[in-house]
Amino acid sequence: MSVRQESGNARHDDAARAGWLYYVAGNTQDQIAAKLGVSRQSAQRLVSLAVSEGLVKVRLDHPIANCLDLAAKLTARFALDLCEVVPSDPESGSTTLGLAEAAATEIERRLKSPDPIVLAIGTGRTLKAAIEQLTPMECPQHKLVSLTGNIAPDGSAAYYNVIFTMADTIKARSFPMPLPVIASSPAEREMLLSQPMIQPALTLAAKADVTFVGIGDLGPKAPLYEDGFITDVELKALQKAGAVGEIVGWAFDRDGRLIDGITNDRVASAPLPSRERSLVVAIAMGERKLPGVLAAVTRRLVNGLITDENTAAALLAA
């Protein structure tokens, strides 16, 4: 290691200490300066560095009246078992900002249970962002199971499949689905799902205690299409059939009904766990996803929702 690298690592160590002293221990910058043996200005810079380098993750833990009100109304309107609404940032076009942090908090709350649970996980950008926010912990009592395959169309590992990252972060036993997201034919799908090595994952998925999934839109920039899982012809066929959204590859229409044929007869994902005896939480926001989210909560494809203010208001106005 070079002297420059050692210097950089030492500075990050100091920044981490300063961040911990400020955000966790509640020290003032003068106190941090004294404890680290630096000037007040250096202490301030170290705290700022801790934030800018992602060494400190800040979560807002204050009830916001409008968000709570929207969550209560969504819960009553759609008979949800869990609902959380986060503030909308009018200056941001992100579809994960705020949601990832809220989802991470909810996932961590479930994982802190001393009693063993089966946690099923979908895939997607928002879930990936949420898993990256998780605090490392030891959870050997729990089991993680993926609802969807982890093989991309080119044979590589699917980029937004998160089970391995999550299992590594929380040190829990994981059950991946070593399958393509969408098989090349219905016959191939049946053959793949019949393999003995797949059965434990399918069995666990069916009895998951809590499940977290994303909702993908099926517009011109549909994630399934942009990530290469379906073709342009297939996307147009789904749109013509009335598809407005998808959950772990399962495409559905405005009434929440699965689309017959097209790609659904080749989806290798596990069915969604029962919403009658378990919690299935969708994490989604944004105008493009609104039709899919509305269909999912109306037809109870999911019974939990984490979304933002703007999407919540639009759902209530629909």
Side-chain angles (χ1 to χ4, degrees), residues 35-119:
K35 291 179 180 181
L36 296 184
V38 298
S39 67
R40 186 181 187 281
Q41 290 76 16
S42 293
Q44 185 178 25
R45 285 194 292 271
L46 286 171
V47 171
S48 297
L49 180 63
V51 175
S52 65
E53 291 294 313
L55 306 179
V56 173
K57 295 182 175 68
V58 180
R59 294 179 185 168
L60 183 64
D61 189 23
H62 183 278
I64 298 172
N66 189 51
C67 291
L68 291 174
D69 182 56
L70 288 168
K73 289 178 178 177
L74 285 172
T75 298
R77 170 84 173 269
F78 299 106
L80 297 173
D81 296 316
L82 179 146
C83 184
E84 182 167 352
V85 177
V86 304
S88 296
D89 182 354
E91 301 299 322
S92 173
S94 171
T95 59
T96 66
L97 183 64
L99 285 198
E101 292 77 7
T105 298
E106 185 60 33
I107 292 171
E108 286 178 8
R109 188 170 75 84
R110 305 284 168 171
L111 293 173
K112 288 176 182 176
S113 168
D115 298 322
I117 65 168
V118 176
L119 189 150

Side-chain angles (χ1 to χ4, degrees), residues 11 16 32 39 43 144 148 169 180-181 187 202 204 208 212 214 222 263 289 296 312 317:
R11 186 163 177 78
I32 295 171
S39 67
L144 302 178
T148 188
T169 301
V181 176
L202 291 174
L204 273 181
F212 292 89
T263 57
K289 295 189 177 185

Side-chain angles (χ1 to χ4, degrees), residues 19 72 306-307:
I306 300 176
T307 191

